[in-house]
Amino acid sequence: MTRRVRRGVLTAHVTFAVGWLGAVAAFLVLAIAGLTSEDAMMVRVAYLAMKLITWFVILPFSFAAPLTGLVMALGTRWGLLRHYWILIKFLITIFSTVVLVIHLQPISMAAGVAAVRTLPRTDLGLQVQLAVAPAGALLLFLVNTTLAIYKPQGMTRYGRRKQRERLSA
Amino acid sequence: MPDLPPENGDDTGAPRWVKVFGIIAVFLVLLFFGLHLTGNSPGGHGSPMDHGSPRS
């Protein structure tokens, strides 16, 4: 990968990853509003907006971020499995994407109810879940961002072996 | 951001931060599944919202 292509892919990766973080933060604000607001119209609008953000921003970014990260890792000497910080970032991202996909149905369900009528107050389980999940995701994304900036040292056994092979060549 | 990884490798095992991270991750995963399996997860994957009194 040429330096220009590498920086282009890195730009895309950072854009998608940080954009994902921002969109989840916005989703969390809406989820808290939906959970705590006394205004029925505000609650309905919040869940409708959550669905829009999810399908048009969060979901595409959740695939674009790991894909561009994968291109970056495999297209450079960093690799995917050679450095712990990269491996952990990737695992966190995959886990976050899986959890998001699992929550697509409840998000759409809440929006579907909100589109036709006022949400009931008694069954708050789903609404609490839709607030807790993005809060957890934000913590994971902060971990990922920290790892990306600090790049703590530590090579895997595979990485050390590949490095020895390269140095002895 | 540097374009290439550092050349100096580390011949010892996983660094301390990875081990601490792993312990925390295992604990959280066990806690997560434990809460879900015992029905104590925050909110839980709720049932369809088709009952109860509407908000004012």
Side-chain angles (χ1 to χ4, degrees):
Chain A
M1 197 186 298
T2 64
R3 190 174 186 179
R4 176 181 282 185
V5 170
R6 187 167 58 238
R7 294 207 162 167
V9 175
L10 178 61
T11 301
H13 176 63
V14 172
T15 300
F16 288 128
V18 178
W20 186 7
L21 188 154
V24 170
F27 183 99
L28 178 59
V29 169
L30 291 171
I32 292 173
L35 190 59
T36 60
S37 176
E38 294 294 327
D39 184 338
M41 186 55 66
M42 169 79 81
V43 172
R44 292 177 65 183
V45 167
Y47 285 100
L48 290 170
M50 284 161 65
K51 181 183 176 182
L52 288 174
I53 288 180
T54 298
W55 283 94
F56 291 104
V57 182
I58 295 177
L59 185 63
F61 279 29
S62 75
F63 282 92
L67 279 174
T68 49
L70 206 57
V71 170
M72 277 294 301
L74 298 178
T76 64
R77 204 176 293 169
W78 284 103
L80 182 64
L81 304 174
R82 303 182 188 191
H83 298 267
Y84 280 111
W85 71 268
I86 295 176
L87 179 60
I88 291 172
K89 267 193 68 183
F90 186 71
L91 291 175
I92 287 175
T93 304
I94 295 303
F95 174 76
S96 301
T97 301
V98 169
V99 172
L100 167 67
V101 170
I102 290 172
H103 283 86
L104 286 178
Q105 194 263 344
I107 291 169
S108 295
M109 186 168 64
V113 172
V116 296
R117 60 182 175 86
T118 306
L119 275 73
R121 177 178 286 280
T122 54
D123 187 3
L124 293 180
L126 178 60
Q127 293 168 272
V128 169
Q129 180 73 11
L130 293 182
V132 170
L138 275 183
L139 288 175
L140 290 178
F141 294 159
L142 286 175
V143 168
N144 263 11
T145 304
T146 305
L147 287 173
I149 298 299
Y150 283 88
K151 295 182 179 59
Q153 287 202 2
M155 295 187 79
T156 63
R157 192 178 305 175
Y158 171 79
R160 292 195 297 271
R161 192 179 80 233
K162 297 300 282 188
Q163 190 177 62
R164 277 195 296 270
E165 289 173 4
R166 190 171 58 80
L167 291 174
S168 61
Chain B
M1 178 179 170
D3 293 326
L4 292 173
E7 291 295 330
N8 53 332
D10 186 356
D11 287 333
T12 60
R16 184 184 301 176
W17 73 267
V18 173
K19 293 174 184 174
V20 171
F21 195 93
I23 290 170
I24 293 173
V26 168
F27 172 74
L28 289 176
V29 167
L30 290 176
L31 180 68
F32 177 80
F33 284 110
L35 287 175
H36 270 76
L37 288 173
T38 56
N40 292 314
S41 59
H45 293 279
S47 53
M49 292 181 286
D50 56 355
H51 58 86
S53 59
R55 297 174 192 233
S56 57

